[in-house]
Amino acid sequence: MNRQGVYGSQHGSESHRPGVQVLGLAVFLGASSLVAWLGAFATVSNVNGWYVAADKAPWSPPNWVFGPVWTLLYIAMAVAAWLVWRRRAERTTPALVAYGIQLLLNLLWTPVFFGLYPVMGTAALWLGFAVIIALTVAVTVTVLFFGPISRAAGLLLLPYISWLVFAASLNLWAALHN
């Protein structure tokens, strides 16, 4: 396999017209926004419910931090996926499949952690921990797919992995102490 087949053409983005480029970016931003909105919907009713009285990790930031951080991460995820999509490299399809899997796991975590706790108790927090570990692995795999296609796309996902490791530590604390 030649270098172009693995890493994509330097001019691959030229194969999409500007209008298609904008539409593609809008689709990726829309998908991220949908996941963010659904996650917020699952969080809103519980963050001021059971979570207020929950035993949280001493390093847990104030609740207001989560919204801006996740907003930036969702934008970075969408831009990263768009950068890969626009390259039209040989490995674009498996890279975007990996992206889709991590996006679904991302969507799953919030209702599991926040929404199932009132029904399942601590078991929901452990299930949430399993989901966030799977999500972290899926994002790492996505970075490994994205990087060779677009270095910038791979780099854009690194803060996401860091945040997931941090969030997993908060989730683990909650599972152990609630």
Side-chain angles (χ1 to χ4, degrees):
M1 183 175 299
N2 66 26
R3 182 174 170 88
Q4 183 176 348
V6 174
Y7 297 103
S9 166
Q10 291 288 56
H11 304 290
S13 62
E14 293 176 357
S15 59
H16 290 301
R17 294 185 317 271
V20 174
Q21 293 281 342
V22 171
L23 180 60
L25 180 57
V27 167
F28 286 110
L29 287 168
S32 280
S33 296
L34 179 62
V35 170
W37 180 80
L38 291 171
F41 182 75
T43 304
V44 166
S45 61
N46 292 295
V47 79
N48 292 321
W50 73 265
Y51 192 69
V52 170
D55 186 355
K56 295 180 238 0
W59 58 91
S60 185
N63 286 346
W64 67 264
V65 169
F66 291 93
V69 169
W70 275 111
T71 299
L72 292 173
L73 293 174
Y74 281 122
I75 291 169
M77 291 186 319
V79 170
W82 174 71
L83 288 172
V84 167
W85 168 79
R86 67 193 297 251
R87 295 300 292 272
R88 298 178 64 156
E90 180 180 325
R91 304 283 299 157
T92 296
T93 298
L96 292 177
V97 167
Y99 177 79
I101 291 168
Q102 72 79 26
L103 205 56
L104 287 173
L105 287 168
N106 182 306
L107 177 61
L108 182 62
W109 181 83
T110 305
V112 167
F113 182 86
F114 286 103
L116 290 182
Y117 182 81
V119 177
M120 296 176 58
T122 303
L125 303 179
W126 284 108
L127 184 56
F129 184 67
V131 171
I132 204 166
I133 294 301
L135 172 57
T136 305
V137 170
V139 176
T140 302
V141 169
T142 303
V143 168
L144 294 174
F145 275 110
F146 277 21
I149 297 169
S150 167
R151 180 180 171 101
L155 292 172
L156 277 169
L157 294 182
L158 294 181
Y160 182 24
I161 292 173
S162 298
W163 183 258
L164 288 174
V165 169
F166 176 69
S169 76
L170 300 175
N171 189 152
L172 179 60
W173 177 277
L176 289 169
H177 296 92
N178 288 285

